Amino acid sequence: MARLTVITGPSGVGKGTLVRQLLERHPEIWLSVSATTRAPRTGETEGESYFFLSREDFEQRVRAGGFLEWAEFAGNLYGTPRRAVEDHLAQGRPVLLEIELEGARQVRRSFPAGFQLLIKPPSFEELERRIRGRGTDDEAAIEKRLERARVELAAEGEFDAVLVNDDLDACRSALERIMHLTTKKPPIGGASAAG
Ligand code: ADP
Ligand code: 5GP
């Protein structure tokens, strides 16, 4: 797998779901925890989901050069803390960033050897169904995210690979193939998906 992989895709396409499954199956991968000025959603925890910062603190960190990349998305700031990424790369860990389009473009400039993937929905209607079905965003946030989705989907030609997240398991398998991840077989007689 590439040392640095970037996963981008419109809000609600299933990036978080795919990444969670990938990390469970491939614990060698290190996922960068971003900083954001967005308010935590129910169930999100500081330092695991995000580092939740005030706008003032975020901007202070931008000035100090603390972010590898950062961007405004749907009215909030998001950024990848530089130090942790550099440390994990130095340790030889495969590093994964799950970020939006502007950030992916910045990383493409600073890490041209990184692998950049775009995840697409099977249709725009399905994307809207998923983002609404998730139930985490108010109407104004949903509108902004869907508007931005059109821009992100139009940028597919910039990416090294594009995957459609229609069937989740099929998409995850394709992701594993494309990232050259070997899937460990479950132990004989061990737990399986059955039951
Ligand atoms: P993102 O991180 O890209 O914003 P999420 O991972 O939060 O998206 O997924 C958005 C919603 O879509 C969640 O409710 C999730 O369970 C659902 N979802 C993800 N992948 C699929 C899929 N392949 N088919 C149907 N629903 C999906
Ligand atoms: P959400 O608010 O749904 O968690 O994330 C909104 C968008 O911000 C998603 O597209 C997500 O990939 C992106 N994002 C999360 N962290 C970062 C980051 O550190 N930098 C950038 N540029 N985008 C991020």
Side-chain angles (χ1 to χ4, degrees), residues 7 13-31 96 98 119 130 165-176 179 181-184 193:
I7 296 191
V13 75
K15 301 179 297 297
T17 309
L18 284 162
V19 164
R20 220 165 18 250
Q21 291 197 359
L22 215 56
L23 295 179
E24 272 167 24
R25 292 160 64 96
H26 307 281
E28 72 276 17
I29 298 174
W30 179 77
L31 173 70
L96 189 62
E98 192 252 274
I119 311 288
R130 286 184 195 172
N165 181 19
D166 190 351
D167 177 77
L168 183 62
D169 287 342
C171 187
R172 196 207 54 243
S173 296
L175 192 56
E176 288 175 321
M179 290 173 72
L181 293 164
T182 43
T183 311
K184 292 183 190 72

Side-chain angles (χ1 to χ4, degrees), residues 74-97:
N76 293 298
L77 303 178
Y78 295 82
T80 303
R82 179 190 298 279
R83 182 69 191 275
V85 170
E86 290 175 349
D87 286 352
H88 284 88
L89 286 173
Q91 287 164 22
R93 290 278 293 275
V95 166
L96 189 62
L97 307 183

Side-chain angles (χ1 to χ4, degrees), residues 139-156:
E139 188 55 32
I142 289 173
E143 297 287 328
K144 281 191 200 158
R145 280 157 191 265
L146 289 175
E147 195 183 306
R148 192 64 198 156
R150 296 197 186 274
V151 177
E152 300 195 306
L153 293 172
E156 78 169 272

Side-chain angles (χ1 to χ4, degrees), residues 33-55 57-58 61 77-78:
V33 179
S34 297
T36 184
T37 62
R38 170 168 76 60
R41 295 174 177 145
T42 311
E44 285 187 333
T45 48
E46 166 70 21
E48 274 182 62
S49 319
Y50 280 105
F51 298 104
F52 295 97
L53 299 183
S54 67
R55 200 166 254 263
D57 287 350
F58 193 102
R61 280 231 230 167
L77 303 178
Y78 295 82

